[in-house]
Structures are given as C-alpha cells and as structure tokens.
Amino acid sequence: MSSESNDEKEYGLVLPFDTDNEEFVRGWALGEMWKSLELQGWAHGLIHARSAEMVMRMAEAKGLPFTAHVYDDGVWMEATIGTPVKEDAR
C-alpha cells in the first residue's frame, strides 16, 4: 500500500486522447458521469475543477445531491452526484 495521500497521487489517462482539445476531454468526462447517472442513478469521477458548474447543473437536473473535493493543485476534483449504492446493499 502506498503511503501517498490522495493529494500527492498523479493521474493520467490509460489511453491518451489523440487530441489536445481541452473541451473534448471535458465533454468526455462529463459524458461518462451522465452515462453513470442514467445507468445506476449516481456517478463518481475525477474531473477538471473547471467542470464543477456542469456537474452541479447535472445534479440539479436529476434532483440529486452533489459533493466534491478539490485537490490542492486546484486543477482536479473528485465529484459525486447522488448517493452511491453499497455493494452489500444490493
């Protein structure tokens, strides 16, 4: 187990996009969250902090709560829309 805190971890893409267009990347991440909302009723993801407004709007559109943690770098945030279902509760 690593002794690094979440704020010290580096994040990257497993398969980098073939474009540097930041709006494409932002749309991809938000689309993944929307897909999770549609399929399971909640979503959790690591996104750019500049997407916070859209995540809040997505939560509002679905009538769900929104929580987030912005990392110390101010660039990344971990966001949750809705209430995740615990595996043992299914």
Side-chain angles (χ1 to χ4, degrees), residues 58-80:
M58 290 164 58
E60 184 177 348
K62 293 288 189 180
L64 296 169
F66 162 80
T67 59
H69 168 75
V70 179
Y71 289 98
D72 290 340
D73 66 5
V75 175
W76 294 102
M77 68 183 257
E78 209 169 333
T80 302

mmCIF file of all heavy atoms in Angstrom, residues 58-80:
data_model
loop_
_atom_site.group_PDB
_atom_site.id
_atom_site.type_symbol
_atom_site.label_atom_id
_atom_site.label_comp_id
_atom_site.label_asym_id
_atom_site.label_seq_id
_atom_site.Cartn_x
_atom_site.Cartn_y
_atom_site.Cartn_z
ATOM 1 N N MET A 58 -25.835 19.134 -13.697
ATOM 2 C CA MET A 58 -26.288 17.763 -13.931
ATOM 3 C C MET A 58 -27.023 17.236 -12.699
ATOM 4 O O MET A 58 -28.093 16.623 -12.824
ATOM 5 C CB MET A 58 -25.087 16.864 -14.279
ATOM 6 C CG MET A 58 -24.488 17.160 -15.640
ATOM 7 S SD MET A 58 -22.830 16.466 -15.909
ATOM 8 C CE MET A 58 -23.082 14.735 -15.654
ATOM 9 N N ALA A 59 -26.453 17.485 -11.522
ATOM 10 C CA ALA A 59 -27.092 17.042 -10.276
ATOM 11 C C ALA A 59 -28.453 17.700 -10.107
ATOM 12 O O ALA A 59 -29.440 17.047 -9.755
ATOM 13 C CB ALA A 59 -26.180 17.362 -9.086
ATOM 14 N N GLU A 60 -28.513 18.990 -10.368
ATOM 15 C CA GLU A 60 -29.776 19.720 -10.249
ATOM 16 C C GLU A 60 -30.825 19.181 -11.227
ATOM 17 O O GLU A 60 -31.989 19.002 -10.865
ATOM 18 C CB GLU A 60 -29.544 21.210 -10.502
ATOM 19 C CG GLU A 60 -30.776 22.043 -10.296
ATOM 20 C CD GLU A 60 -30.521 23.537 -10.489
ATOM 21 O OE1 GLU A 60 -29.361 23.959 -10.568
ATOM 22 O OE2 GLU A 60 -31.520 24.276 -10.560
ATOM 23 N N ALA A 61 -30.400 18.894 -12.453
ATOM 24 C CA ALA A 61 -31.328 18.371 -13.458
ATOM 25 C C ALA A 61 -31.911 17.021 -13.044
ATOM 26 O O ALA A 61 -33.058 16.711 -13.375
ATOM 27 C CB ALA A 61 -30.620 18.237 -14.813
ATOM 28 N N LYS A 62 -31.145 16.242 -12.318
ATOM 29 C CA LYS A 62 -31.607 14.927 -11.867
ATOM 30 C C LYS A 62 -32.223 14.971 -10.471
ATOM 31 O O LYS A 62 -32.711 13.957 -9.981
ATOM 32 C CB LYS A 62 -30.435 13.936 -11.855
ATOM 33 C CG LYS A 62 -29.891 13.601 -13.223
ATOM 34 C CD LYS A 62 -30.852 12.724 -13.964
ATOM 35 C CE LYS A 62 -30.249 12.188 -15.242
ATOM 36 N NZ LYS A 62 -31.190 11.327 -15.963
ATOM 37 N N GLY A 63 -32.172 16.147 -9.805
ATOM 38 C CA GLY A 63 -32.717 16.266 -8.452
ATOM 39 C C GLY A 63 -31.903 15.489 -7.427
ATOM 40 O O GLY A 63 -32.456 14.957 -6.470
ATOM 41 N N LEU A 64 -30.583 15.435 -7.643
ATOM 42 C CA LEU A 64 -29.704 14.658 -6.767
ATOM 43 C C LEU A 64 -28.696 15.557 -6.062
ATOM 44 O O LEU A 64 -28.345 16.619 -6.568
ATOM 45 C CB LEU A 64 -28.943 13.614 -7.599
ATOM 46 C CG LEU A 64 -29.796 12.545 -8.271
ATOM 47 C CD1 LEU A 64 -28.966 11.740 -9.259
ATOM 48 C CD2 LEU A 64 -30.421 11.637 -7.219
ATOM 49 N N PRO A 65 -28.195 15.111 -4.907
ATOM 50 C CA PRO A 65 -27.161 15.889 -4.213
ATOM 51 C C PRO A 65 -25.829 15.812 -4.947
ATOM 52 O O PRO A 65 -25.587 14.877 -5.718
ATOM 53 C CB PRO A 65 -27.064 15.214 -2.838
ATOM 54 C CG PRO A 65 -27.525 13.812 -3.070
ATOM 55 C CD PRO A 65 -28.566 13.903 -4.163
ATOM 56 N N PHE A 66 -24.987 16.788 -4.677
ATOM 57 C CA PHE A 66 -23.668 16.890 -5.293
ATOM 58 C C PHE A 66 -22.627 17.127 -4.203
ATOM 59 O O PHE A 66 -22.841 17.950 -3.322
ATOM 60 C CB PHE A 66 -23.677 18.067 -6.277
ATOM 61 C CG PHE A 66 -22.314 18.573 -6.662
ATOM 62 C CD1 PHE A 66 -21.565 17.913 -7.610
ATOM 63 C CD2 PHE A 66 -21.794 19.712 -6.080
ATOM 64 C CE1 PHE A 66 -20.314 18.372 -7.968
ATOM 65 C CE2 PHE A 66 -20.544 20.190 -6.433
ATOM 66 C CZ PHE A 66 -19.799 19.514 -7.388
ATOM 67 N N THR A 67 -21.549 16.373 -4.244
ATOM 68 C CA THR A 67 -20.427 16.618 -3.335
ATOM 69 C C THR A 67 -19.144 16.632 -4.148
ATOM 70 O O THR A 67 -19.064 15.995 -5.208
ATOM 71 C CB THR A 67 -20.312 15.537 -2.227
ATOM 72 O OG1 THR A 67 -20.148 14.261 -2.837
ATOM 73 C CG2 THR A 67 -21.525 15.537 -1.328
ATOM 74 N N ALA A 68 -18.152 17.369 -3.646
ATOM 75 C CA ALA A 68 -16.877 17.435 -4.369
ATOM 76 C C ALA A 68 -15.739 17.728 -3.419
ATOM 77 O O ALA A 68 -15.931 18.328 -2.356
ATOM 78 C CB ALA A 68 -16.931 18.509 -5.442
ATOM 79 N N HIS A 69 -14.574 17.294 -3.827
ATOM 80 C CA HIS A 69 -13.334 17.607 -3.130
ATOM 81 C C HIS A 69 -12.363 18.120 -4.186
ATOM 82 O O HIS A 69 -12.014 17.392 -5.115
ATOM 83 C CB HIS A 69 -12.753 16.364 -2.452
ATOM 84 C CG HIS A 69 -11.348 16.575 -1.980
ATOM 85 N ND1 HIS A 69 -11.062 17.320 -0.858
ATOM 86 C CD2 HIS A 69 -10.171 16.162 -2.485
ATOM 87 C CE1 HIS A 69 -9.744 17.342 -0.699
ATOM 88 N NE2 HIS A 69 -9.185 16.641 -1.674
ATOM 89 N N VAL A 70 -11.958 19.379 -4.051
ATOM 90 C CA VAL A 70 -10.975 19.945 -4.975
ATOM 91 C C VAL A 70 -9.603 19.694 -4.372
ATOM 92 O O VAL A 70 -9.351 20.012 -3.213
ATOM 93 C CB VAL A 70 -11.202 21.460 -5.196
ATOM 94 C CG1 VAL A 70 -10.148 22.024 -6.133
ATOM 95 C CG2 VAL A 70 -12.598 21.713 -5.746
ATOM 96 N N TYR A 71 -8.715 19.108 -5.153
ATOM 97 C CA TYR A 71 -7.369 18.816 -4.677
ATOM 98 C C TYR A 71 -6.545 20.089 -4.566
ATOM 99 O O TYR A 71 -6.879 21.111 -5.152
ATOM 100 C CB TYR A 71 -6.696 17.789 -5.595
ATOM 101 C CG TYR A 71 -7.317 16.422 -5.438
ATOM 102 C CD1 TYR A 71 -8.282 15.969 -6.321
ATOM 103 C CD2 TYR A 71 -6.967 15.609 -4.364
ATOM 104 C CE1 TYR A 71 -8.882 14.724 -6.156
ATOM 105 C CE2 TYR A 71 -7.563 14.370 -4.188
ATOM 106 C CZ TYR A 71 -8.505 13.935 -5.086
ATOM 107 O OH TYR A 71 -9.101 12.721 -4.908
ATOM 108 N N ASP A 72 -5.480 20.000 -3.795
ATOM 109 C CA ASP A 72 -4.627 21.161 -3.521
ATOM 110 C C ASP A 72 -4.106 21.856 -4.773
ATOM 111 O O ASP A 72 -3.854 23.051 -4.753
ATOM 112 C CB ASP A 72 -3.433 20.765 -2.642
ATOM 113 C CG ASP A 72 -3.852 20.437 -1.219
ATOM 114 O OD1 ASP A 72 -4.952 20.867 -0.800
ATOM 115 O OD2 ASP A 72 -3.084 19.757 -0.522
ATOM 116 N N ASP A 73 -3.960 21.117 -5.864
ATOM 117 C CA ASP A 73 -3.450 21.740 -7.089
ATOM 118 C C ASP A 73 -4.476 22.661 -7.742
ATOM 119 O O ASP A 73 -4.149 23.443 -8.618
ATOM 120 C CB ASP A 73 -2.958 20.695 -8.082
ATOM 121 C CG ASP A 73 -4.051 19.786 -8.638
ATOM 122 O OD1 ASP A 73 -5.249 20.000 -8.330
ATOM 123 O OD2 ASP A 73 -3.715 18.861 -9.378
ATOM 124 N N GLY A 74 -5.743 22.577 -7.312
ATOM 125 C CA GLY A 74 -6.798 23.429 -7.850
ATOM 126 C C GLY A 74 -7.240 23.061 -9.251
ATOM 127 O O GLY A 74 -8.110 23.704 -9.824
ATOM 128 N N VAL A 75 -6.660 22.015 -9.812
ATOM 129 C CA VAL A 75 -6.973 21.602 -11.190
ATOM 130 C C VAL A 75 -7.953 20.432 -11.200
ATOM 131 O O VAL A 75 -8.857 20.393 -12.013
ATOM 132 C CB VAL A 75 -5.682 21.216 -11.948
ATOM 133 C CG1 VAL A 75 -5.991 20.678 -13.335
ATOM 134 C CG2 VAL A 75 -4.746 22.411 -12.035
ATOM 135 N N TRP A 76 -7.773 19.494 -10.295
ATOM 136 C CA TRP A 76 -8.592 18.289 -10.270
ATOM 137 C C TRP A 76 -9.576 18.321 -9.117
ATOM 138 O O TRP A 76 -9.313 18.894 -8.079
ATOM 139 C CB TRP A 76 -7.710 17.054 -10.114
ATOM 140 C CG TRP A 76 -6.832 16.820 -11.283
ATOM 141 C CD1 TRP A 76 -5.512 17.109 -11.378
ATOM 142 C CD2 TRP A 76 -7.206 16.246 -12.536
ATOM 143 N NE1 TRP A 76 -5.039 16.762 -12.615
ATOM 144 C CE2 TRP A 76 -6.058 16.227 -13.353
ATOM 145 C CE3 TRP A 76 -8.390 15.753 -13.054
ATOM 146 C CZ2 TRP A 76 -6.062 15.731 -14.644
ATOM 147 C CZ3 TRP A 76 -8.398 15.262 -14.351
ATOM 148 C CH2 TRP A 76 -7.244 15.243 -15.124
ATOM 149 N N MET A 77 -10.702 17.682 -9.329
ATOM 150 C CA MET A 77 -11.668 17.500 -8.255
ATOM 151 C C MET A 77 -12.311 16.129 -8.384
ATOM 152 O O MET A 77 -12.464 15.600 -9.484
ATOM 153 C CB MET A 77 -12.717 18.599 -8.250
ATOM 154 C CG MET A 77 -13.683 18.606 -9.407
ATOM 155 S SD MET A 77 -14.827 19.992 -9.334
ATOM 156 C CE MET A 77 -16.293 19.183 -8.766
ATOM 157 N N GLU A 78 -12.644 15.574 -7.243
ATOM 158 C CA GLU A 78 -13.368 14.328 -7.186
ATOM 159 C C GLU A 78 -14.817 14.703 -6.924
ATOM 160 O O GLU A 78 -15.104 15.408 -5.953
ATOM 161 C CB GLU A 78 -12.808 13.488 -6.040
ATOM 162 C CG GLU A 78 -12.925 12.030 -6.242
ATOM 163 C CD GLU A 78 -12.119 11.243 -5.227
ATOM 164 O OE1 GLU A 78 -11.100 11.746 -4.705
ATOM 165 O OE2 GLU A 78 -12.541 10.121 -4.964
ATOM 166 N N ALA A 79 -15.722 14.283 -7.784
ATOM 167 C CA ALA A 79 -17.118 14.689 -7.667
ATOM 168 C C ALA A 79 -18.036 13.481 -7.601
ATOM 169 O O ALA A 79 -17.791 12.467 -8.255
ATOM 170 C CB ALA A 79 -17.509 15.563 -8.861
ATOM 171 N N THR A 80 -19.096 13.625 -6.819
ATOM 172 C CA THR A 80 -20.121 12.585 -6.720
ATOM 173 C C THR A 80 -21.481 13.245 -6.883
ATOM 174 O O THR A 80 -21.765 14.267 -6.272
ATOM 175 C CB THR A 80 -20.068 11.874 -5.354
ATOM 176 O OG1 THR A 80 -18.765 11.320 -5.170
ATOM 177 C CG2 THR A 80 -21.106 10.775 -5.263
#
